[in-house]
Amino acid sequence: MDFLSINQQVFIRRSDGRIHQAGIIKLDGSANKIVTVEWNEGVVTRGKEVPLNTIIKLNPQIYDAPAAIRPSQNNTLVSIPPRPAQAQASGQGPKAVMLARQRIATAVMPATAAAVPRTVPESPKDDVVVEIERLRVKRERRRQVHDETRALRQSLKDADPKNPNWEIARMLRMHRMQMTFQPESFASTPTKQHQILVCVRKRPLNRRELNNFEPDVVSVPNRELLVVHEPRKQVNLTKFLEHHNFRFDYTFDDDCSNAQVHERTARPLVRHIFEGGMATCFAYGQTGSGKTHTMGGVFTGKQQNCRDGIYALAAGDVFEYLRHPKYARLGLTVSCSFFELYGTRVYDLLMPGKPQLRVLEDGKQKVQVVGLTEEPVANTDDVLKLLELGNSVRTSGQTSANSKSSRSHAVFQIVLRLPPMGQLHGKFSLIDLAGNERGADNSSSNRLTRLEGAEINKSLLALKECIRALGRQSAHLPFRGSKLTQVLRDSFIGGKKVRTCMIAMISPSLRSVEHTLNTLRYADRVKELTAHALAKGKLPAHKANLAQSNSLPDITSQATQHLECLYCRLGPGGRKSGVLQRGHRQLR
């Protein structure tokens, strides 16, 4: 405080970092040591209290100046020393006086000149300045990251310039590089003998989907697992893939032919009907997923080759089994019927004019289709003629997904009868279901198309419930839920004599991912298998069988074996346990 005075001009630092002069108006020499200054900004006078340490750092020239030029306590400079006596005595005149004054100035000025060019030490920055600098650096770093990301996206987009779905396609490629694929041939896979068999077939991308650069969002790691990669968006609109895992008895990729599908699905059922059972095989899926292609045959343009479909392949197996010595001695006769269910009405496809039929129950509580034609057949060519005749008059229409969509359920039945009374020995029902569609997809269609879709979905729901009740060995089968399940009642009632195979058809394109998930969830509810059982590694021996099959007879037998193991562990008193006895009674 001794070197400062009122009205003295000193340098101060503002909050925004600026440094300028201000006049001292107050000196606080207490323990706080505060200097109050003020200055003019235009017509406004501003003031500030500055710590003494800040004044010392910003004004070193005041404290480093020699004592000869420091201000005194009364704000006056130190007096200049008098002229030398030699100059006065010699009487040399004004010139001697000037030289003396120059020597005095030379003695005083070096100290002052040395103090002026001294650099001001950098004082610590205020918090506001530090925060502004931090935000600026962060903003520049963020802009740099955005520029690099934009350049990377542009380079990836330029690598596939015509593909609008290049980002999803890249994510699919990156994920599939991390997946483990275990391709297995069906020749090395044993045929499964379950009461309910659920399979999934993935069709290849068609020409329109390839032209639109739609990516394949379905992966088949092995013969039982299937993964659907659903594109999603986060809250910040960042795209990502959600992976849905499903497990079924068989999964057929887009390289499998109709013959390979038939070998694992319909062929085991042909042998079952020769042993006196009832079998049902149906194809389910959205419109345009390949149901008619699988059941009826491969299309070449608008012409269908019926020889490649499961209808004709199953018929060929029937005549092959007829020549087997075990069944040739039975003298079985083969006949076929072909009808469709359009809404709640039944039409015979083998009669001219496609007449409407009635579905009634006889006195033995058996459902009969009154007036249904059963054409006897002697070889596969006769079956192909019936198929061509029925397919030519089957009801079809145009939908949002397919220009020629099947709007009815087509049921082709192969019936084995015993001579001479024609007693029923076995029946094989091959069903090409109509394509399921969501109500949102039919919102722009006419009223008739919407009613068709409602009836189709109603019958498919009833079919699913009947199959689930069959797998659970339920005492009640809701076959009266729709006309389709009512006609197929004898295929659901009969216990172990009844076997069912479901082929779920899916489309792998990006546009159909929601339909694909709906189809797979429908099939998964028919027979619920754990999708992650294989990924967890090898299961124990007593759990492996349970993971491979969930049909009720298998589960019951395995649970009974488990109870027997508990009896052995508990010893002689184990069978007296009330809990175990109740569990055994429930299984029985």
Side-chain angles (χ1 to χ4, degrees), residues 262 266-267 270 273-274 306-307 309-323 334 336 377-384 387 412-414 416 428 430:
H262 164 75
R267 186 176 179 85
V270 174
I273 65 172
F274 274 88
C306 297
R307 293 183 178 274
I310 291 182
Y311 290 154
L313 295 175
D317 291 338
V318 168
F319 292 107
E320 182 180 348
Y321 274 99
L322 279 178
R323 294 189 293 269
V334 183
C336 296
V377 291
N379 49 46
T380 307
D381 293 335
D382 295 342
V383 176
L384 293 176
L387 290 174
F412 183 76
Q413 292 182 335
I414 302 176
L416 302 180
F428 192 6
L430 297 159

Side-chain angles (χ1 to χ4, degrees), residues 337-359 369-373 389-391 393-396 407-413 448 452 483 487:
S337 60
F338 201 7
F339 61 95
E340 72 171 355
L341 290 94
Y342 178 69
T344 58
R345 298 181 294 275
V346 180
Y347 297 97
D348 191 348
L349 298 179
L350 299 183
M351 289 291 292
K354 197 172 68 172
Q356 182 177 350
L357 306 177
R358 293 186 301 168
V359 180
V369 182
V370 181
L372 180 63
T373 303
L389 175 62
N391 290 329
V393 296
R394 184 183 175 185
T395 303
S396 62
R407 309 305 295 166
S408 64
H409 306 304
V411 182
F412 183 76
Q413 292 182 335
L448 178 61
E452 288 177 354
K483 191 67 68 175
V487 170

Side-chain angles (χ1 to χ4, degrees), residues 19 67 150 239 285 334 385 432 439 525 560:
I19 299 176
R150 191 179 297 109
K239 295 181 180 180
V334 183
K385 293 178 182 179
D432 179 14
R525 290 188 181 98
T560 304

